[in-house]
């Protein structure tokens, strides 16, 4: 705009724009890392080019349970419809082979009463009546209009076969529906994890911590927590391992490694020599291509089914120098949990170096704590001085208001010449 008005030469403007573009660092947007485990616990993995599809049919029950609900309901409906149609065809063929259909077509209404003892199935005159009789047999409705006689042993065999097939279909499909409604991951919906993990100092050691809780009152029996680090590594031979899993020990004073999940707990992992996080500092954490997977397993108290809840934390979701706030309080003899603060954290003093450097130089922790104490004292002094200044300003303003509201003295002259002073 200035160059167009000839205030600034155009050559100078172009040179200035080129210089500014050179100074600005060109930062490319970092592509989001693909998570191995989503925050909801689902595995972010796609299976492709599976050639042996027949292996899924060898375990047909598990395949039916793993299907989506819409597919399961379609199979549930079609299994009954197909079985009814199949046996309807068989009943129609039995009646056709025995001549029952022709007998009903040729005899008059007065003579049909004598056919009841000579046909295989009474009142089966067409395919529609055969289909209705098939439904009555398999579902055991028994309206009473159609029934079998002793004339056809083949019809008795078909009746037995249909009852057996109907029981098998009922057992498989109802069992599949029950297993889908009572799946273990349904219970895991009420097992929650903190959205962020933290790294802070606990008992003089750097610790990796996260919070886990259970929203239901029914307990998770024998609950245990496992932590794994998944990252891409390269071996000395040059082999690239895209998903390299490393176990992380959990700091648990109980020898059985089980937790009593009656209230939200903070799970702690001490970053020591056995930890994959031992050489990672606060500045290195942002550039790390790693994912911490958390697995909570236990037995549901009400059903006895083993359940598993999962989540993961990538480098951007790990807060260095933070600590979880307390959410358990005692109110009138009852412990109360405030889930609105479940994932809240506060900043605390923590060294920015790695755990290895902290072990080699323990003075770093002391210096960090001293700096934190000094900064805390300075903030307290500033706060106290601000309060003192505010109180002094308030007192001065009150004095000014009082002085302005003072009542003036008025003098009155009497006839005798004496002065009387009064206040109005």
């Amino acid at each position: 705009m200035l160059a167009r008005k000839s205030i600034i030469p155009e050559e100078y403007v172009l040179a200035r724009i080129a210089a500014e573009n050179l100074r600005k660092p060109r930062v490319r947007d970092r592509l989001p890392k693909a998570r191995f485990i989503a925050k909801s616990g689902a595995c972010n993995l796609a299976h492709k080019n599976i050639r042996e599809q027949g292996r899924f049919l060898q375990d047909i029950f598990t395949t039916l349970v793993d299907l989506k609900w819409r597919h399961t309901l379609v199979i549930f409906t079609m299994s009954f419809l197909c079985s009814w149609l199949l046996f309807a065809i068989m009943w129609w063929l039995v009646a056709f082979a025995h001549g029952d259909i022709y007998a009903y077509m040729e005899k008059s209404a007065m003579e049909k009463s004598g056919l009841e003892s000579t046909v295989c199935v009474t009142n089966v005159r067409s395919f529609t009546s055969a289909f209705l009789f098939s439904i009555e047999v398999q579902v055991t409705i028994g309206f009473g209009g159609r029934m079998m006689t002793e004339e056809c042993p083949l019809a008795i065999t078909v009746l037995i076969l249909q009852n057996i097939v109907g029981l098998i279909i009922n057992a498989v499909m109802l069992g599949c529906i029950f297993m889908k409604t009572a799946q273990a991951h349904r219970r895991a919906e009420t097992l929650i994890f903190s959205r962020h993990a933290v790294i802070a100092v606990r008992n003089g050691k750097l610790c990796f911590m996260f919070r886990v809780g259970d929203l239901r009152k029914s307990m998770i029996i024998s609950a245990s927590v496992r932590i794994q680090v998944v990252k891409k590594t390269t071996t000395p031979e040059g082999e690239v391992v895209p998903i390299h899993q490393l176990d992380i020990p959990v700091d648990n004073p109980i020898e059985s490694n089980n937790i009593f999940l009656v209230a939200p707990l903070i799970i702690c992992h001490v970053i020591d020599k056995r930890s994959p996080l031992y050489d990672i500092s606060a500045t290195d954490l942002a550039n790390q291509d790693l994912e911490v997977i958390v697995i909570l397993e236990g037995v549901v108290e009400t059903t006895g089914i083993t359940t598993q809840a999962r989540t993961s934390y990538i480098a951007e979701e790990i807060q260095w120098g933070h600590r979880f706030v307390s959410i358990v309080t005692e109110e009138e003899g009852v412990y109360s949990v405030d889930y609105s603060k479940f994932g809240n954290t506060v900043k605390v003093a923590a060294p920015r170096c790695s755990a290895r450097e902290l072990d080699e130089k323990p003075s770093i922790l002391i210096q960090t704590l001293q700096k934190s104490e000094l900064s805390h004292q300075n903030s307290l002094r500033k706060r106290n001085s601000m309060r003192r200044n505010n109180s002094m300003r308030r007192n001065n303003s009150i004095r000014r208001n009082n002085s302005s509201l003072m009542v003036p003295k008025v003098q009155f002259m009497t006839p005798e010449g004496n002065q009387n002073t009064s206040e109005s």
Side-chain angles (χ1 to χ4, degrees):
M1 181 66 71
L2 295 177
R4 290 179 182 178
K5 293 182 179 180
S6 300
I7 298 177
I8 299 177
E10 186 175 358
E11 295 80 4
Y12 177 77
V13 174
L14 294 177
R16 182 65 179 273
I17 293 174
E20 289 179 355
N21 291 334
L22 289 175
R23 289 175 200 164
K24 292 180 181 179
R26 297 181 179 179
V27 180
R28 295 181 180 180
D29 294 336
R30 185 179 177 184
L31 295 176
K33 179 183 177 297
R35 309 176 73 107
F36 187 61
I37 300 294
K39 296 297 289 183
S40 61
C43 295
N44 187 21
L45 189 66
H47 299 276
K48 297 182 178 180
N49 301 325
I50 300 176
R51 297 180 180 179
E52 299 180 1
Q53 299 286 346
R55 291 181 176 269
F56 294 99
L57 297 178
Q58 295 178 3
D59 188 9
I60 185 64
F61 185 77
T62 305
T63 303
L64 290 175
V65 174
D66 291 340
L67 289 176
K68 295 182 179 179
W69 269 107
R70 56 179 178 267
H71 300 154
T72 303
L73 293 177
V74 170
I75 294 174
F76 180 83
T77 305
M78 293 303 298
S79 61
F80 284 102
L81 288 178
C82 291
S83 64
W84 294 339
L85 287 172
L86 175 62
F87 283 99
I89 295 172
M90 296 178 68
W91 286 116
W92 185 83
L93 290 176
V94 168
F96 179 80
H98 194 262
D100 299 345
I101 297 177
Y102 290 107
Y104 277 105
M105 292 173 62
E106 294 176 356
K107 298 294 182 180
S108 61
M110 298 296 295
E111 297 173 346
K112 285 181 182 180
S113 59
L115 294 175
E116 305 298 332
S117 60
T118 60
V119 296
C120 292
V121 181
T122 59
N123 294 326
V124 176
R125 305 180 181 87
S126 61
F127 181 76
T128 305
S129 59
F131 180 73
L132 293 175
F133 181 71
S134 175
I135 296 175
E136 293 176 16
V137 170
Q138 188 166 334
V139 189
T140 64
I141 297 176
F143 291 115
R146 301 171 184 87
M147 64 180 181
M148 290 183 57
T149 62
E150 301 175 358
E151 292 294 322
C152 300
L154 181 60
I156 299 174
T157 305
V158 174
L159 176 65
I160 295 172
L161 181 62
Q162 185 172 6
N163 284 330
I164 294 173
V165 173
L167 289 174
I168 293 174
I169 293 176
N170 287 335
V172 173
M173 297 311 300
L174 293 178
C176 176
I177 297 296
F178 172 76
M179 289 301 298
K180 285 186 70 67
T181 54
Q183 279 183 333
H185 68 271
R186 303 295 180 187
R187 179 62 177 87
E189 295 294 334
T190 53
L191 297 173
I192 57 175
F193 300 87
S194 58
R195 186 164 185 81
H196 294 86
V198 298
I199 294 179
V201 177
R202 176 183 278 192
N203 298 326
K205 297 285 186 179
L206 276 177
C207 297
F208 173 86
M209 293 173 286
F210 60 93
R211 178 173 277 165
V212 60
D214 188 6
L215 299 179
R216 291 187 181 273
K217 291 185 178 181
S218 59
M219 299 288 298
I220 297 293
I221 305 172
S222 302
S224 61
V225 177
R226 293 188 292 116
I227 308 177
Q228 289 184 346
V229 170
V230 177
K231 61 180 180 179
K232 183 179 180 180
T233 58
T234 304
T235 61
E237 294 78 15
E239 180 185 2
V240 178
V241 182
I243 303 175
H244 183 56
Q245 302 181 17
L246 299 172
D247 286 331
I248 292 182
V250 179
D251 184 21
N252 194 349
I254 304 175
E255 296 181 358
S256 61
N257 202 25
N258 293 335
I259 59 175
F260 186 51
L261 197 59
V262 66
L265 298 177
I266 297 176
I267 307 300
C268 177
H269 157 64
V270 179
I271 305 177
D272 52 10
K273 297 180 179 179
R274 302 174 296 170
S275 174
L277 308 176
Y278 189 59
D279 296 323
I280 298 176
S281 63
T283 54
D284 298 336
L285 182 62
N287 301 322
Q288 288 293 321
D289 188 13
L290 59 85
E291 181 178 355
V292 181
I293 298 176
V294 179
I295 303 172
L296 172 63
E297 293 179 330
V299 179
V300 182
E301 183 181 21
T302 53
T303 60
I305 301 175
T306 302
T307 185
Q308 184 182 91
R310 299 178 296 267
T311 191
S312 67
Y313 301 98
I314 57 177
E316 289 80 3
E317 296 171 348
I318 301 175
Q319 297 179 345
W320 195 290
H322 284 72
R323 184 173 57 195
F324 289 104
V325 300
S326 178
I327 61 175
V328 180
T329 57
E330 186 177 357
E331 298 176 358
E332 299 179 358
V334 177
Y335 287 99
S336 177
V337 180
D338 186 6
Y339 281 99
S340 63
K341 302 178 182 179
F342 184 81
N344 293 1
T345 60
V346 292
K347 267 194 171 185
V348 293
R352 308 288 293 178
C353 63
S354 63
R356 179 186 291 275
E357 296 177 1
L358 189 61
D359 290 343
E360 294 174 354
K361 298 178 181 180
S363 60
I364 297 177
L365 178 60
I366 300 174
Q367 294 175 1
T368 304
L369 295 177
Q370 288 178 353
K371 290 180 181 178
S372 149
E373 184 65 25
L374 289 174
S375 63
H376 181 64
Q377 291 178 0
N378 292 333
S379 64
L380 287 178
R381 291 195 193 98
K382 290 180 180 179
R383 195 178 303 167
N384 293 333
S385 63
M386 290 178 63
R387 289 178 180 174
R388 195 180 301 110
N389 294 335
N390 291 334
S391 62
M392 291 178 63
R393 291 173 184 171
R394 195 179 300 110
N395 293 334
N396 292 334
S397 63
I398 292 173
R399 289 174 183 173
R400 291 194 194 97
N401 294 334
N402 292 337
S403 61
S404 62
L405 294 175
M406 290 181 64
V407 179
K409 294 183 179 180
V410 180
Q411 293 182 355
F412 294 95
M413 297 295 296
T414 58
E416 290 83 4
N418 297 330
Q419 295 181 355
N420 293 330
T421 303
S422 63
E423 295 181 359
S424 60

